Amino acid sequence: MQKLIIPEEDIVLAICIYIAEKQNIDPDNVQVELFYDDYSGVSAEIITPSGKQELITKHIITALREWIKNNLHADPYAGLKLDLDRRNGIYARLRYES
């Protein structure tokens, strides 16, 4: 079993693509800011031409699963977890079989 670390920049990219597809807009028109709270975990504030919205962890995981499937061609359901490294920011860890 191997682990893959997905950095914050790729999480933001995954969210941009996910929201852009949902709203039928260009991913460049999506701004994302990630937040971490010890009690609720990771959330994101999204700004698009149509306004602001907040994504909870569940929706961020959904966006990441799509990105993993389409870009890494890996099993998106193989132990995906969001976490925070105080130095390097928010990241995702994916456990998969090679």
Side-chain angles (χ1 to χ4, degrees):
M1 178 99 29
Q2 295 188 11
K3 291 182 190 177
L4 174 67
I5 301 298
I6 301 169
E8 188 168 322
E9 296 81 21
D10 287 339
I11 297 170
V12 168
L13 177 62
I15 294 169
C16 286
I17 293 168
Y18 176 77
I19 295 297
E21 287 176 357
K22 293 279 183 203
Q23 295 187 10
N24 199 26
I25 60 174
D26 191 275
D28 290 336
N29 291 328
V30 181
Q31 296 177 22
V32 176
E33 186 170 355
L34 295 177
F35 298 95
Y36 183 87
D37 180 273
D38 288 334
Y39 298 104
S40 59
V42 177
S43 63
E45 181 180 79
I46 311 301
I47 301 173
T48 64
S50 62
K52 285 185 183 182
Q53 71 182 85
E54 185 176 330
L55 291 184
I56 60 173
T57 302
K58 173 181 157 183
H59 297 115
I60 295 169
I61 294 285
T62 300
L64 267 172
R65 285 184 173 152
E66 290 284 320
W67 184 83
I68 289 166
K69 182 176 85 177
N70 295 330
N71 294 287
L72 302 181
H73 308 289
D75 180 3
Y77 297 97
L80 184 61
K81 182 180 179 191
L82 293 169
D83 211 345
L84 172 70
D85 175 29
R86 300 281 179 200
R87 284 182 160 189
N88 299 316
I90 296 168
Y91 66 95
R93 183 174 43 228
L94 178 69
R95 293 181 187 199
Y96 66 97
E97 307 240 353
S98 55

